[in-house]
Amino acid sequence: MKCGYFTGNGDADGVEVNLGWEPQWILIKCISNANSWVMYDTIRGISTGGTDGRFFAQDTDAEYDGTNFLRVTPTGWKAVNNAGDFNGN
């Protein structure tokens, strides 16, 4: 497990977060607004170029998979969307 922070760039070609390994589960919370905690995992699907399944921690709703938010890399993950809940400027 690794905890930390990163600064988003508000761009669809977002920041790359280097963890040193390929993650299977990611939890993100923007600290500059009231957006929700967002969870992603590779079992439900983080697909390169496809839709990513994600959950909001405080909701009882089913997963949301409307767009491509991030992609997993061999050393971490990269934001591929400018969504304000994790890659706002």
Side-chain angles (χ1 to χ4, degrees):
M1 185 167 131
K2 187 169 189 175
C3 298
Y5 67 91
F6 68 96
T7 302
N9 65 5
D11 189 24
D13 183 25
V15 297
E16 186 164 346
V17 176
N18 187 340
L19 303 171
W21 68 87
E22 183 175 327
Q24 294 180 1
W25 185 80
I26 300 167
L27 174 67
I28 302 171
K29 169 70 172 97
C30 180
I31 62 171
S32 63
N33 62 38
N35 286 341
S36 304
W37 288 90
V38 185
M39 296 178 281
Y40 301 88
D41 67 84
T42 57
I43 298 298
R44 279 182 221 296
I46 299 174
S47 60
T48 300
T51 58
D52 299 329
R54 70 182 191 160
F55 284 96
F56 298 101
Q58 74 285 356
D59 290 348
T60 58
D61 298 336
E63 74 180 47
Y64 172 78
D65 63 354
T67 192
N68 190 19
F69 293 99
L70 54 89
R71 69 177 165 84
V72 173
T73 67
T75 58
W77 61 273
K78 179 173 176 55
V80 293
N81 188 302
N82 62 352
D85 54 5
F86 71 92
N87 190 33
N89 189 6

